[in-house]
Amino acid sequence: MADLATLQVQLDALKAAYRSGIRTVEYDGRSTSYVSGEEMRAAIASLQSEIAQIMGTTTPTVGVVRSTKGY
């Protein structure tokens, strides 16, 4: 598992690329290309989860409840 500083650098690079519409991210001399924005969002969520785990915090979870009248 990578250390916190490395994960944060990767997350920052990925977020910057996502915001600018670039699908290739470079950090530490490595290059990673993503097919879609959805794939990039999944990678961002994964990195955020890893960082939260290292820091001992949790990522927010949202639950949605829908109901209708009747049976």
Side-chain angles (χ1 to χ4, degrees):
M1 183 182 263
D3 66 344
L4 182 60
T6 302
L7 292 175
Q8 192 62 53
V9 168
Q10 292 174 356
L11 179 61
D12 292 342
L14 190 55
K15 282 182 173 181
Y18 179 76
R19 277 184 248 132
S20 65
I22 298 171
R23 297 287 180 246
T24 301
V25 181
E26 294 184 29
Y27 49 86
D28 289 336
R30 296 180 181 181
S31 177
T32 303
S33 296
Y34 295 91
V35 176
S36 65
E38 184 177 326
E39 187 178 15
M40 291 181 84
R41 286 190 303 273
I44 289 170
S46 176
L47 283 170
Q48 288 173 330
S49 177
E50 282 187 62
I51 290 170
Q53 192 175 36
I54 289 172
M55 295 179 68
T57 59
T58 59
T59 54
T61 304
V62 176
V64 178
V65 177
R66 293 186 181 157
S67 65
T68 60
K69 293 181 180 179
Y71 297 99

